[in-house]
Amino acid sequence: MTIIADDTELAAYLAKSAGALVLEMRETSGLVAKELGNAGDRTANQFLIRTLAEQRPDDGLLSEESKDTDARLSKSRVWIIDPVDGTREYSEGRSDWAVHVALAIDGAPVIGAVALPALNLVLRTDQPAIIPPAPAQLRMVVSRTRPAPEAVAVAEALGAELIPMGSAGAKAMAVVRGEADIYLHTGGQYEWDSCAPVAVAAAYGLHVSRVDGSPLVYNQRDVYMPDLLICRKEHAPHVLALVQLSAEKS
């Protein structure tokens, strides 16, 4: 395979290609439920790590589906991938799942692509679009199975509509695409859940941070990330203040 010199082109190629692989698997393999989810995760991961090893052999790698090592910690450039974000939604035949491919440089999520294969979309850091204006009633995406109490409390304080949705990538891209206005998550995630979505959201001019307003830093030894806020910049101060108020009351 020809070397793809541009990092964002590579991220987009990887996300789109991995998504196409697992979408075809879902449509033709005859597998269902957990068996399908496991096969999709495995197939996408094998493709991604093999291609990255060919394309960027000197870079570090962190994948949800591969055993982590300390090797990446000494690297400035680290690819952070989630082969199928929202395995449950993927295996149930839904559209709200994603493929995440990001490149963190010195801990910053600077390059990324998020594929929404069932929608035939790839959103990437080098092709930002203008986000439509927010409606009068704000919309907040939350987990369709376990909405975080803090997010529900903030939504109530804002008078925001709750939109249940599957994967982290699908939720973040709903804000990027102007289909929602706030993605507030306090239930804990891992670096691969948010690195590519955060990179894309930031490139589109959205606010991205921890819920205390501090920056999101990647390629850490402990890859657990407790919380996340993605929203329009004009809404961030109010949302952050409401999160703080909710924490003080609890």
Side-chain angles (χ1 to χ4, degrees):
M1 178 182 171
T2 303
I3 297 298
I4 301 173
D6 182 86
D7 288 325
T8 314
E9 286 291 345
L10 177 58
Y13 166 77
L14 290 168
K16 182 176 182 178
S17 300
L21 278 174
V22 296
L23 192 60
E24 182 180 13
M25 172 177 286
R26 187 169 79 175
E27 294 170 350
T28 64
S29 68
L31 299 174
V32 295
K34 190 173 182 179
E35 191 177 30
L36 172 61
N38 290 340
D41 276 329
R42 184 170 58 252
T43 298
N45 191 58
Q46 288 171 349
F47 166 76
L48 291 169
I49 61 175
R50 182 180 69 247
T51 308
L52 279 168
E54 295 169 354
Q55 293 281 330
R56 300 291 190 273
D58 297 327
D59 291 351
L61 174 66
L62 172 64
S63 169
E64 180 181 14
E65 301 300 327
S66 294
K67 182 175 174 57
D68 191 19
T69 72
D70 289 344
R72 63 181 173 81
L73 297 174
S74 62
K75 303 281 188 178
S76 170
R77 292 166 48 94
V78 178
W79 292 87
I80 300 178
I81 62 175
D82 192 341
V84 179
D85 178 63
T87 306
R88 176 175 178 175
E89 286 74 23
Y90 165 74
S91 66
E92 291 178 354
R94 294 172 59 92
S95 63
D96 49 346
W97 56 280
V99 178
H100 299 175
V101 180
L103 175 63
I105 300 178
D106 296 329
V110 294
I111 288 171
V114 177
L116 302 172
L119 303 179
N120 194 30
L121 288 173
V122 179
L123 296 105
R124 41 196 283 180
T125 46
D126 64 340
Q127 295 179 358
I130 295 173
I131 301 173
Q137 182 184 24
L138 298 181
R139 302 154 297 175
M140 180 183 289
V141 282
V142 293
S143 170
R144 71 185 184 96
T145 57
R146 51 189 188 283
E150 294 88 349
V152 173
V154 170
E156 289 176 353
L158 289 170
E161 175 190 0
L162 292 177
I163 302 177
M165 195 171 291
S167 81
K171 293 189 194 79
M173 294 307 99
V175 181
V176 166
R177 297 169 64 205
E179 296 181 341
D181 308 294
I182 303 164
Y183 175 29
L184 171 64
H185 182 83
T186 56
Q189 294 178 333
Y190 295 91
E191 289 192 13
W192 47 75
D193 291 310
S194 67
C195 192
V198 163
V200 172
Y204 273 65
L206 292 166
H207 170 92
V208 295
S209 74
R210 296 278 309 277
V211 298
D212 63 359
S214 62
L216 293 146
V217 182
Y218 294 85
N219 193 34
Q220 302 297 293
R221 183 177 295 277
D222 181 358
V223 298
Y224 179 74
M225 304 192 83
D227 47 59
L228 166 73
L229 173 63
I230 297 175
C231 65
R232 299 165 191 271
K233 288 184 176 178
E234 63 267 29
H235 300 145
H238 193 190
V239 174
L240 291 169
L242 287 171
V243 173
Q244 180 63 31
L245 184 62
S246 175
E248 291 171 356
K249 288 181 178 179
S250 61

